[in-house]
Every structure is written in C-alpha cells, then in structure tokens.
Amino acid sequence: MSDMPFHTLMVQGTTSDAGKSTVVAALCRLLHRQGVKVVPFKPQNMALNSAVTADGGEIGRAQALQAQAAGIAPHTDMNPILLKPSSDTGAQVIVHGKVRADMNARDYHRYKTSAMAAVLESYERLRAQYEVVLVEGAGSPAEINLRARDIANMGFAEAVDCPVILVADIDRGGVFAHLTGTLDCLSESERQRVIGFVINRFRGDLSLLQPGLDWLEQRTGKPVLAVLPYLHGLHLDAEDAVVAQQSAKGDFKVVVPVLPRISNHTDFDALRAHPGIDLQFVGPGQPIPAADLVILPGSKNTRNDLAWLTQQGWPQAIRKHLRYGGKLIGICGGFQMLGTSVDDPHGVEGAAGSTPGLGLLDMHTTLTPHKQLLQVSGQCAWPTQAGALNGSVRGYEIHMGVSAGAALQQPAFYIDGRPEGARSLDEQILGSYLHGMFDTPQAFTALLDWAGLDNVQAIDLNALREQSLERVADATMPLFSALLNKMEK
C-alpha cells in the first residue's frame, strides 16, 4: 500500500461541464504514474455516451476514459447507476451495468434509496481493491430540488465521509459567484467537507486574477488549490453534450444530424481529428448542407428520432444526396432507421407500435427488451482491388433490437467470423450496429476510402487520447501537489 494521505477524494463542480471528468482523469493519470493503484468512481451518471465493460455491462464513457488514465480496464462498479434519458421526463435506469427499468423522474426519485445501496455496494468493492478512489460528482451539489435522497454529490460524500474539492469553469464567466453561491447552498457539514477550490480553463495573465483569488479565500476561508489552464486541441471523450466546435479544416464534407436523443456521438471524434475532414453537426432548424458523407448517429429513441428527421426534412435531403453520388452511413439507431420499418411491439421505447423507416435498405428492425452489450472485433467486409478484406475493426455494440432482411446478405463487417450490418448493392449506403467503427486506424482508412476520401491519413484515436491524458496530467500537477501538501498537514 502507498502512503497517500487520502483514500477517497470527491471532485464536485459548480455546474455541469465544469471540468470534473477531466480533473478526475488527470489525477488518475498522475497517481498511476507514481505506481498507485487508483480507480475512478461516479455514483450516478446521466449520459447518452456509454461504454461496454469487460464484465459485459454499460457505464458512462467518461469513466471508461478515466479507467484508461488509471491504467485499468473499465468495470461496471466504476459507474453503478447510469441514467440514459429517453424523453424529457423519463430515462432508462441501468444498475451495475444492466437495465433495471424505465422510470419517470418522480419514480426514480423514490427509487434513490435502493440506488444508494447499489452505489455503496460498488464503492466498498472498489475501496477494498484499490489504494485510492477518485469520485466524480454529477451536475452541481447546489441543486436544491435534488438534495433529498441525493446519491450523486454531497449525499454520497456524507455517506462515506470523504473530502471534496469544488471545480468551477472560469471560461464561462461568473466563477466567483458560482463558487460562493454553491457554498451558500450547502449545509454546514457539507461546507466543512469542501477542502478547497479549483478554477478551470483559465487563459490570460494570472496576476490579474490574483485579487479575485485573494478575495475568494478571505470570504470563504478556503484555499484556491489550483488555477488550471485552458488546453486547446484535446482529444478526450465527451461525457454527454455534443461539442459545439466544428471541424472545418478540410475539403471532405461530413454531416451528422443532432438527433434529440443522439447517443455515443463520440463515434465521430476520429473524424473531427482528421485534417482533411470538415465535420458538421446539424441541429434543429438549421439548413442541411451538401456533403460527401452523411452519417446517421446512434439514438436512444429511434422511432421518435425518425419522426424528428422527417419533420426536419432529412429524408428528402438524404435522397438528393444519394442521387448526386454521396455516401451514407447509419450507426446503431441510425442503421435501424435505414430499413423499411422500426417495430416496437413491447413498448421498449415508449408506446408500442411501428414507424416507417427511410426505406433505403431492404431490412426491418424489431425492438426487444434485451439489450445487446458486446465488445467486438473483426474486419471490414468490402474487398480491396486485390480481393482481400480491408482492415481490422474494433468497437462495441449497445442496442435493443434485431434487424433482418435481404440487405444483411451483403454485410458491412465480419465480427468474429459472423456477418454484421449491411451495404447497399451500389455501395452508397453502409449500416452497422458497431459503435467506434472509426476508432482504429485500419478501419478509419478503409471506411473513409469507401466513402470517397482520397489519400486517407490514418487516425489513431487511442494514441490521441493518450497524448491528451498526458497533457492534462502535466497541467494538473499543481493541483496534485497542493492536495498532497494540504492533506498531509
């Protein structure tokens, strides 16, 4: 065992996207560098970006990234409660990696006592296996309406009696109000639990910020542990929100509709990193631009998102795109949309019924209560000019549904020898359940070559992640040193 001055430390934020996930990942990497057995933990996560673990479950992608930073394989105990919103008021509740139920907000609030038991069960298992547990909060601890039965922030910290650091994003403005206001909303015992502040994403002259830091420390009696810089060009998996920044660099145009329930948009991170690709996310009411490649992303509610696509005029735009020789890829829910219908006889995604698909592939999909969760590997199924199959592919499947039809006779991939997905006879359309299909350099090259990009430069997304984890760890060293100094006193 190490002589670390703390066994459990919780990172909370004044707002969503304050930088909690990145700070936890950076601290995981710094401890891993020192040979400390460290594990990330998020009691409750609400996100549509998820990852499949080696033990066959599902967790938030941020925890999978943090596990990579810690040098360990992702496990369902790292995120025991995952909420995947299917509407504005309801979500699929995943406990220890498996679907427990679909609940509305009121029902889930009542369920939180049971959820806390699952959280503490996972935490105790991790605490017994690792020297340090780094805990990430969710949203903000100052959400007064969510304080009762809280399992995500101070409710958890109080239950396990751990110290808390509070992170705020100065780039969005109002950082001192965020920090002091959050403290004011906490109980006395919760305020005492906060050992210091982290100001994130700072750019500028630190000396100009110093009067504010002095005022904050004098007013609250708590230290500013670190001011972390704004780091450009990071390639780290987003926890949930679609990154607004576009990738307008190259001449090859890729367009992705931002579905209301878009899931696992991290599928496009490798495309965003390519210097020859202009990747554009198109939201509601925005004009649909011309493109070389259109990609329909994953969806947590395929039938409702199909209806949204129709309302936004995407079917007509896609058919025009195909008439002019453009390429089309559908991933998971987007793949299901390419068929003739999506049938939901059991009411998996809402009211039972059937929705016409886009009719671009001769197949149909039936949604089922069982969720497929697999880590997979294989090869791209289309041949090169020499007749051999294209490069290797790795990824994961997360879906509730089975597709069938003649289109599947020309697959997109061979996964462990079995055919998977579909390609149209004219090679304009490709569909697959495989998330992460662009993440390996070989598959990235093969897919973009299929889509028509000349002289494809391979992108190794995992190598980019590693470089980014090293950068954020280096930048977070002042916080790490401050924590050690403070907690040794």
Side-chain angles (χ1 to χ4, degrees):
M1 295 288 287
S2 74
D3 57 354
M4 291 298 297
F6 56 88
H7 188 293
T8 301
L9 175 69
M10 191 168 193
V11 178
Q12 297 183 14
T14 58
T15 61
S16 294
D17 198 34
K20 301 182 292 292
S21 297
T22 304
V23 169
V24 169
L27 292 176
C28 280
R29 178 51 58 94
L30 288 168
L31 287 166
H32 177 57
R33 285 180 183 175
Q34 295 197 357
V36 176
K37 288 181 63 179
V38 57
V39 64
F41 182 69
K42 184 155 185 168
Q44 173 189 289
N45 197 348
M46 179 178 284
L48 288 175
N49 285 344
S50 57
V52 176
T53 61
D55 58 322
E58 186 178 6
I59 63 173
R61 285 206 68 79
Q63 282 61 66
L65 176 71
Q66 291 160 356
Q68 179 176 341
I72 55 179
H75 191 279
T76 51
D77 278 338
M78 297 175 187
N79 178 204
I81 304 294
L82 175 61
L83 307 178
K84 302 189 78 171
S86 53
S87 68
D88 289 343
T89 58
Q92 185 181 77
V93 180
I94 296 165
V95 181
H96 291 150
K98 301 296 183 183
V99 175
R100 179 61 56 89
D102 286 282
M103 299 185 191
N104 60 37
R106 190 177 299 275
D107 288 341
Y108 179 69
H109 186 67
R110 288 193 289 263
Y111 180 74
K112 280 185 177 179
T113 301
S114 298
M116 177 61 103
V119 165
L120 294 177
E121 180 184 330
S122 287
Y123 169 73
E124 291 299 334
R125 280 196 290 262
L126 295 179
R127 193 177 188 279
Q129 297 173 60
Y130 293 90
E131 297 169 82
V132 175
V133 182
L134 289 177
V135 188
E136 180 187 341
S140 164
E143 294 164 344
I144 302 300
N145 57 308
L146 300 178
R147 293 285 297 280
R149 301 192 182 102
D150 171 52
I151 67 175
N153 290 298
M154 283 298 180
F156 174 81
E158 296 265 87
V160 303
D161 191 23
C162 71
V164 172
I165 60 174
L166 195 58
V167 181
D169 177 8
I170 195 171
D171 193 56
R172 64 175 65 193
V175 69
F176 299 114
H178 284 169
L179 289 166
T180 56
T182 297
L183 278 188
D184 286 346
C185 290
L186 301 180
S187 70
E188 180 58 31
S189 65
E190 292 168 347
R191 281 194 290 272
Q192 292 300 318
R193 196 166 293 286
V194 178
I195 62 171
F197 306 125
V198 177
I199 293 179
N200 194 27
R201 300 190 183 111
F202 176 74
R203 40 187 164 185
D205 186 341
L206 188 58
S207 66
L208 298 178
L209 183 64
Q210 192 60 50
L213 304 182
D214 295 339
W215 173 88
L216 180 64
E217 291 184 340
Q218 182 178 15
R219 186 184 189 281
T220 64
K222 298 184 182 296
V224 176
L225 297 170
V227 177
L228 303 181
Y230 193 109
L231 297 178
H232 296 272
L234 292 176
H235 296 280
L236 298 175
D237 304 54
E239 184 168 55
D240 193 41
V242 176
V243 179
Q245 181 181 359
Q246 302 301 311
S247 173
K249 296 173 291 191
D251 296 327
F252 191 82
K253 309 295 183 183
V254 180
V255 169
V256 180
V258 182
L259 306 174
R261 297 299 164 193
I262 186 172
S263 66
N264 291 71
H265 62 76
T266 48
D267 286 337
F268 311 113
D269 286 353
L271 297 174
R272 189 196 306 275
H274 194 285
I277 292 176
D278 173 6
L279 175 67
Q280 297 184 44
F281 289 105
V282 179
Q286 294 180 336
I288 303 171
D292 299 288
L293 172 64
V294 173
I295 306 179
L296 300 183
S299 166
K300 186 62 190 70
N301 196 319
T302 305
R303 292 175 61 207
N304 283 350
D305 280 351
L306 253 175
W308 180 88
L309 279 178
T310 300
Q311 294 166 1
Q312 297 291 317
W314 278 93
Q316 299 92 325
I318 288 172
R319 285 182 169 81
K320 179 180 178 181
H321 168 76
L322 293 171
R323 283 198 305 272
Y324 281 88
K327 296 296 184 81
L328 174 66
I329 293 177
I331 301 174
C332 200
F335 172 40
Q336 295 174 341
M337 295 177 188
L338 297 177
T340 56
S341 67
V342 178
D343 306 320
D344 189 0
H346 306 287
V348 171
E349 292 186 343
S354 180
T355 299
L358 298 175
L360 298 173
L361 290 176
D362 184 8
M363 59 170 239
H364 64 276
T365 297
T366 301
L367 300 181
T368 59
H370 171 72
K371 178 179 281 193
Q372 181 87 318
L373 294 166
L374 289 173
Q375 292 183 353
V376 299
S377 60
Q379 288 181 301
C380 304
W382 54 97
T384 63
Q385 291 182 352
L389 295 182
N390 269 301
S392 60
V393 64
R394 291 192 307 273
Y396 55 99
E397 294 184 29
I398 303 178
H399 60 92
M400 304 178 80
V402 177
S403 299
L408 305 184
Q409 294 175 11
Q410 180 160 288
F413 303 103
Y414 288 105
I415 301 300
D416 298 325
R418 65 175 172 87
E420 194 283 328
R423 299 178 353 259
S424 62
L425 295 177
D426 61 7
E427 291 288 358
Q428 279 191 270
I429 304 171
L430 183 150
S432 169
Y433 278 112
L434 188 59
H435 289 289
M437 64 172 64
F438 293 103
D439 290 2
T440 59
Q442 300 91 338
F444 182 94
T445 301
L447 284 160
L448 270 297
D449 179 73
W450 173 89
L453 177 60
D454 296 328
N455 301 316
V456 182
Q457 173 185 325
I459 296 293
D460 187 337
L461 191 60
N462 190 62
L464 293 176
R465 285 193 191 106
E466 278 295 316
Q467 293 168 12
S468 294
L469 286 170
E470 291 296 319
R471 286 181 62 201
V472 296
D474 289 342
T476 309
M477 182 60 79
L479 170 61
F480 186 64
S481 300
L483 284 170
L484 294 182
N485 290 335
K486 180 174 182 59
M487 301 191 77
E488 283 174 348
K489 293 177 181 179

